Amino acid sequence: MPCNTVFFQETHDLALEHITVLDLTHMLSGPYGTMLLADLGARTIKVEPPGTGEGTRRLLEKDPDYARDGMGAYYLTLNRNKESVCVDLKSAEGKAVFLDLVRRADVVFDNFSVGVTERLGIDYASLSQVNPRIVTCSVTGFGQTGPETQRPAFDQVVQAMGGGMSITGTPESGPTRSGIPIGDLGGGMFGAMGVLAALVERDRTGRGQHVDISMLDAQISLLNYMATMHLMSGHVPEGIGNGHFVHVPYNSYPTADGHIIIACIGDPFFERFVDFIDLPALRDPTYKQQPVRFAIKAEIDALIGDELKKQPTAHWLERLRAARIPCGPVNNFAQALSDTQVVARDMVVEVPLKTGETVRMPGNPIKLSAATATAYTCPPALGEHTRQVFGDLVGYSAEKLEALRQAGTIA
């Protein structure tokens, strides 16, 4: 099966199929952002250095559990629906070749350290000289302004600095990072959103612009109303595990065979829950008021936990749902990825490989009514599309392509 085979039949045009993205990203934050754009139909061309290519190509590539067809899970997931060209951006010839791509592109997306694009001469100021409509996006740890731009940053660094870790876990356990790399993923998500906003503005003005995304900024934004509460009151929240700092009961509770979440937001839900669980100790009239419940939160949680341990998760979920009380199981990966709602919304998809095999991975969470089916192509081999892209998109002759290859400018 060739790498550009479409596994799902496309029934409508994809929203971004008129957009071409030059993907200079590596590792996680940047590739995730460009993956989202590629899933929405953008022609996404990875521009990789000859030789090793982008960093995640080698990651887990030989692991018996986490690799297929010589590609590890990182690379397989983040680079579906993309093409690959090899260009030596550090050479004058390579930069000239890259600029020929820029003239025909809409977006250049990178997550280099601050200053790298300027040193290479491929920053927005330089690229806009050859294509005034170009939109550039850089995802960095701390952004491109301020006193800390040169600090190195990885996912857990910005999770810690952004405040989220301080309210995850408990005072006893200490700060705990999110189980998913939300520092990296948050940067990629905001990068994709910023690019889309810049493209919409370009339709109005005719000019592109630069999108500056700080992973730390993203973490601060995700604090949302909790940050506002702190700024209003001066109170510094601590980790409260799976509980809530306002609502009771709102927590994870053990059952006979697992855990469930119950989320009673507001007094009316609590009254409905009391009727459901029928524990005399919870019928104290004073408990109908949230401040009273919150003052004895640990006692209420202990009463509920003792009762829920008597029956398995499925028993309680059926009854809670019938009573229309917000609840859910605490799923492991196997349970989450086989959930009927998840499967029904195509959130587990099969991406083809050149071997004819397929790899299952998370689908595209953005559902557009005019594009009811998504096309997936396998992640590209290093430089797989170099001749195709420079021949078809840029218009280089076969002779010029061969000369560039011989010079080591492209591969």
Side-chain angles (χ1 to χ4, degrees):
M1 181 180 293
C3 193
N4 61 357
T5 295
V6 174
F7 190 71
F8 293 108
Q9 181 62 42
E10 181 184 338
T11 60
H12 294 280
D13 292 342
L14 296 174
L16 299 182
E17 66 175 10
H18 62 299
I19 298 298
T20 297
V21 176
L22 303 182
D23 181 355
L24 301 176
T25 66
H26 60 287
M27 295 308 291
L28 182 53
S29 63
Y32 183 68
T34 52
M35 184 203 80
L36 295 173
L37 298 174
D39 280 356
L40 293 171
R43 183 178 187 182
T44 303
I45 302 168
K46 291 178 66 66
V47 181
E48 305 185 68
T52 59
E54 190 254 299
T56 59
R57 279 190 176 275
R58 304 279 76 88
L59 194 60
L60 302 174
E61 66 177 335
K62 297 181 180 179
D63 190 287
D65 292 324
Y66 304 129
R68 297 290 185 276
D69 194 22
M71 295 179 284
Y74 274 75
Y75 184 78
L76 281 169
T77 306
L78 294 164
N79 294 290
R80 65 196 188 196
N81 295 336
K82 298 181 182 180
E83 302 171 65
S84 171
V85 301
C86 283
V87 180
D88 179 9
L89 292 177
K90 295 181 180 179
S91 70
E93 297 83 358
K95 178 181 170 183
V97 165
F98 177 69
L99 293 181
D100 280 343
L101 278 178
V102 171
R103 289 183 178 93
R104 294 157 178 84
D106 300 282
V107 177
V108 177
F109 200 126
D110 80 86
N111 61 322
F112 295 133
S113 298
V114 172
V116 170
T117 57
E118 286 83 358
R119 288 196 297 274
L120 292 173
I122 57 172
D123 56 307
Y124 173 72
S126 301
L127 299 186
S128 64
Q129 296 298 310
V130 300
N131 181 356
R133 291 176 57 81
I134 199 72
V135 169
T136 62
C137 177
S138 295
V139 178
T140 60
F142 302 100
Q144 297 183 311
T145 60
E148 303 286 349
T149 61
Q150 295 301 316
R151 290 188 57 175
F154 292 98
D155 170 79
Q156 195 162 334
V157 173
V158 297
Q159 281 199 43
M161 293 182 66
M165 278 182 61
S166 73
I167 56 171
T168 306
T170 66
E172 293 75 28
S173 69
T176 304
R177 72 171 179 87
S178 169
I180 60 174
I182 192 62
D184 278 328
L185 298 176
M189 284 190 289
F190 282 105
M193 283 189 277
V195 164
L196 295 176
L199 289 172
V200 170
E201 184 171 3
R202 188 185 71 174
D203 288 342
R204 180 172 59 84
T205 66
R207 289 196 62 86
Q209 62 183 293
H210 181 60
V211 180
D212 172 13
I213 300 294
S214 156
M215 290 162 60
L216 180 59
D217 289 355
Q219 295 305 293
I220 295 297
S221 176
L222 294 173
L223 296 179
N224 202 260
Y225 69 91
M226 298 182 72
T228 305
M229 293 173 67
H230 160 71
L231 293 169
M232 292 170 66
S233 68
H235 299 155
V236 178
E238 295 183 342
I240 53 174
N242 295 329
H244 199 280
F245 56 92
V246 174
H247 305 296
V248 181
Y250 189 118
N251 214 329
S252 61
Y253 300 96
T255 66
D257 62 352
H259 288 81
I260 61 173
I261 296 292
I262 295 173
C264 291
I265 299 177
D267 297 336
F269 267 122
F270 176 73
E271 293 183 38
R272 189 184 301 175
F273 178 75
V274 168
D275 289 337
F276 156 81
I277 202 165
D278 196 25
L279 290 174
L282 294 183
R283 293 193 178 275
D284 185 327
T286 64
Y287 290 0
K288 292 183 178 182
Q289 303 300 315
Q290 181 274 341
V292 177
R293 292 197 305 277
F294 192 79
I296 57 167
K297 177 180 181 294
E299 181 181 329
I300 291 175
D301 280 345
L303 285 169
I304 295 170
D306 288 343
E307 182 66 15
L308 296 181
K309 288 177 186 176
K310 297 176 182 179
Q311 297 289 344
T313 296
H315 167 86
W316 291 118
L317 290 177
E318 181 179 5
R319 292 188 57 208
L320 285 162
R321 288 167 179 163
R324 298 197 60 77
I325 294 169
C327 64
V330 179
N331 285 333
N332 60 30
F333 274 38
Q335 293 165 332
L337 295 171
S338 61
D339 182 272
T340 54
Q341 180 69 7
V342 170
V343 172
R345 288 184 57 80
D346 295 326
M347 282 310 300
V348 177
V349 299
E350 296 190 51
V351 174
L353 303 180
K354 286 180 286 185
T355 61
E357 301 174 86
T358 60
V359 176
R360 300 171 72 220
M361 60 182 67
N364 179 8
I366 301 171
K367 314 298 184 186
L368 300 179
S369 64
T372 56
T374 301
Y376 290 98
T377 63
C378 68
L382 179 60
E384 178 179 347
H385 303 92
T386 300
R387 287 185 176 271
Q388 175 186 336
V389 168
F390 284 106
D392 298 344
L393 181 62
V394 181
Y396 286 176
S397 67
E399 292 76 16
K400 181 168 183 175
L401 286 168
E402 181 59 21
L404 289 169
R405 188 190 70 79
Q406 293 283 354
T409 303
I410 64 173

